[in-house]
Amino acid sequence: MKKTSTRLADGRELIYYDLRDDTVRDAVDRRPLDRTVTTSETRRDPLLGDQVAIASHRQGRTYHPPADECPLCPSRDGRLSEIPDSSYDVVVFENRFPSLAGDSGRCEVVCFTSDHNASFADLTEEQARLVLDAWTDRTSELSHLPSVEQVFCFENRGEEIGVTLGHPHGQIYAYPFTTPRTALMLRSLAAHKEATGGANLFDTVIEQELAGERVVLEGEHWVAFVPYAAHWPYEVHLYPKRRVPDLLALDEAARSEFPKVYLELLRRFDRIFGEGEPPTPYICAWHQAPFGQLEEFEGVSRDDFALHLELFTIRRTSGKLKFLAGSESGMSVFINDVPPERAAERLREVASS
């Protein structure tokens, strides 16, 4: 992997990640852009104790542009985009309309391929490995920023999810706090450790799932399963079998196997609802241990956390979506229409030949 860092016309950082070491990236952003100004701040909810990002400048972000005006395609044929070069393998750049900025963190865009009509599932294993390496490198770099406590790599796919740019891409949020969902995991981890005299909750969950009926696919270094209490109709958790706290700690064996396993998962998601259905909308979310102090989670260290990826769709059956209504949105109590065991069975049924 070759990494080349440059600056866009408004001062934002852009980084090329290339498969070939001899690739030259010297294209200049020729757009007449003013320097980016954001109004992002985070506010703490005094009742719930969580943080809310206030970012009014995002109202002006690019919204469903036609394909020939996509800002994530390379700059070609006289049309200038967010990527100055005429082609690329993987590109990461600072979001022009970030939810988090300055002391409130940082937001980046990750473009998986220059092919506008592709998806992550269309990548080769070599390309998917390059994305993994980019995620890892950005986690490392962002973790050293003084305002950053947790790094979150994710992908939203599909208009049903709320995606406003059709080009295959994901994002990275660098939060200045530990996110509520991670805090819940850490509290459960601490409680289990105390109740069992030191057992790790993640290890217990993996052991139970490996012995059960919800495993979707299993490699030498990774296992994917539908969790016992899945929140979403089709939800899969992907774990390395050797517990590590973050992407940085994955060994080479796990890195090498990841593309094959993950690409197979994504391709199965696109076959869940049968032939002729539009691509399955989904969210892919990497959960990594916070880089900040964990004193409030008594007895728990970063090494107790388990890196994992959660992949889920809001489509519950052909032509129907799972909406977060009263119970889910009002009380955070999910109601799942698809039994996890049936979801796992279906995902095994659609295995590629």
Side-chain angles (χ1 to χ4, degrees), residues 31-46:
R31 297 173 297 169
L33 298 180
D34 293 329
R35 197 162 193 86
T36 301
V37 177
T38 65
T39 57
S40 175
E41 63 173 304
T42 57
R43 299 181 182 179
R44 182 181 181 276
D45 185 316

Side-chain angles (χ1 to χ4, degrees), residues 26 80 106 116 153 228 314:
D26 55 7
L80 305 179
R106 176 160 157 152
H116 181 85
C153 307
Y228 170 73
I314 62 170

Side-chain angles (χ1 to χ4, degrees), residues 68-305:
D68 61 357
E69 296 179 17
C70 175
L72 306 185
C73 287
S75 293
R76 294 180 180 151
D77 304 323
R79 192 183 72 82
L80 305 179
S81 73
E82 288 280 67
I83 296 91
D85 217 323
S86 60
S87 66
Y88 62 85
D89 292 334
V90 173
V91 165
V92 177
F93 61 88
E94 288 184 75
N95 198 321
R96 190 176 179 186
F97 304 96
S99 301
L100 307 166
D103 293 339
S104 295
R106 176 160 157 152
C107 293
E108 298 182 340
V109 176
V110 184
C111 298
F112 304 138
T113 171
S114 59
D115 184 353
H116 181 85
N117 297 312
S119 69
F120 200 117
D122 296 322
L123 300 182
T124 66
E125 290 185 18
E126 185 181 34
Q127 290 173 308
R129 169 61 190 265
L130 184 61
V131 176
L132 175 63
D133 290 341
W135 281 331
T136 304
D137 181 71
R138 296 316 300 154
T139 296
S140 175
E141 293 290 327
L142 293 171
S143 70
H144 289 96
L145 296 180
S147 64
V148 172
E149 189 165 313
Q150 186 172 5
V151 179
F152 175 46
C153 307
F154 65 100
E155 179 193 0
N156 301 327
R157 187 180 82 160
E159 290 188 19
E160 301 94 327
I161 296 292
V163 174
T164 57
L165 296 176
H167 196 103
H169 72 288
Q171 299 182 67
I172 302 175
Y173 278 19
Y175 297 104
F177 50 78
T178 296
T179 61
R181 189 172 177 86
T182 302
L184 286 173
M185 293 184 196
L186 291 168
R187 292 188 189 103
S188 296
L189 190 61
H192 184 80
K193 193 172 186 178
E194 181 179 6
T196 60
N200 184 281
L201 179 57
F202 287 109
D203 293 349
T204 299
V205 168
I206 297 300
E207 181 181 350
Q208 291 173 346
E209 293 293 355
L210 281 169
E213 58 181 317
R214 290 180 296 275
V215 172
V216 174
L217 60 88
E218 181 181 358
E220 183 179 354
H221 303 285
W222 295 85
V223 60
F225 57 86
V226 178
Y228 170 73
H231 289 59
W232 299 93
Y234 290 92
E235 175 182 341
V236 176
H237 293 190
L238 177 63
Y239 279 79
K241 290 184 177 179
R242 183 179 71 86
R243 173 165 46 89
V244 295
D246 52 39
L247 290 166
L248 305 175
L250 285 174
D251 60 23
E252 180 55 34
R255 292 182 184 280
S256 295
E257 187 181 70
F258 171 79
K260 179 179 181 180
V261 174
Y262 184 51
L263 289 172
E264 174 61 18
L265 263 185
L266 293 181
R267 290 161 186 167
R268 291 190 192 191
F269 256 58
D270 274 342
R271 293 193 293 268
I272 296 173
F273 303 106
E275 296 294 329
E277 287 290 320
T280 301
Y282 66 73
I283 292 176
C284 148
W286 277 109
H287 292 266
Q288 306 191 77
F291 289 94
Q293 300 299 315
L294 302 180
E295 286 93 345
E296 64 178 293
F297 310 104
E298 189 173 349
V300 171
S301 70
R302 289 194 80 251
D303 288 338
D304 291 318
F305 194 85

